[in-house]
Amino acid sequence: MRESDKLVRWGGEEFLAVLDPITPEQADRTVERLLHAVRRDPVLWNGQAIKCTISIGYACFPMEGSDLEISLESAIGLIDKALYEAKRRGRNRACLIRAVIAQNKQDLTILCDDFESATADRRIQLVDMGSAA
């Protein structure tokens, strides 16, 4: 990670990374590198190699095409939902929130509360970035 990046343990086995400044293309490449590196490099413990995987939810803010200001709390909530969707879809996978179609903060709260429906009808545009096999 770069000196300007922030990485914190968010809870349990979850980590939060803030990469700033970064373009959406750089974010995609960073996520791909993380998926490959974790899959490729096992953790050594007591002389045994343990294969690991990660699930990643991510987004770039501000989102293209949106004038809605998204608070840090709302952004983390959205990304957390994308993380759990990546976990649901399989190991070593990333899900990107490309866009959120909301007019105001109340709309955003409704989308977060019903993430599954919001992704199904594309009010939240979720892109499955696949897995590193």
Side-chain angles (χ1 to χ4, degrees), residues 4 15 22 24-25 44 49-51 65-66 68 73 105 108 111:
S4 63
F15 293 84
I22 193 168
E25 294 78 19
L44 296 177
I50 301 170
K51 290 188 176 196
S66 175
L68 181 65
E73 182 179 338
K105 292 179 183 183
L108 183 61
L111 296 178

Side-chain angles (χ1 to χ4, degrees), residues 113-130:
D113 289 344
D114 194 4
F115 190 82
E116 187 174 333
S117 292
T119 56
D121 65 19
R122 309 271 301 149
R123 290 175 292 154
I124 294 176
Q125 296 173 13
L126 189 70
V127 179
D128 189 330
M129 299 303 287

Side-chain angles (χ1 to χ4, degrees), residues 24-25 27-28 31 56-61 63 78-79 82-83 85-86 89 93-99 115 119 122 124-130:
E25 294 78 19
D28 293 345
V31 165
I56 299 173
Y58 74 108
C60 291
F61 296 96
M63 290 187 178
L78 284 166
I79 293 167
L83 164 68
E85 182 61 21
R89 292 182 183 197
R93 180 171 302 277
C95 285
L96 161 67
I97 298 175
R98 179 74 68 203
F115 190 82
T119 56
R122 309 271 301 149
I124 294 176
Q125 296 173 13
L126 189 70
V127 179
D128 189 330
M129 299 303 287

Side-chain angles (χ1 to χ4, degrees), residues 24-55:
E25 294 78 19
Q26 290 170 316
D28 293 345
R29 286 193 303 273
T30 299
V31 165
E32 288 171 5
R33 280 196 312 270
L34 283 168
L35 288 168
H36 286 286
V38 169
R39 182 72 169 182
R40 179 190 67 229
D41 300 332
V43 173
L44 296 177
W45 187 71
N46 285 340
Q48 291 185 331
I50 301 170
K51 290 188 176 196
C52 296
T53 61
I54 59 173
S55 299

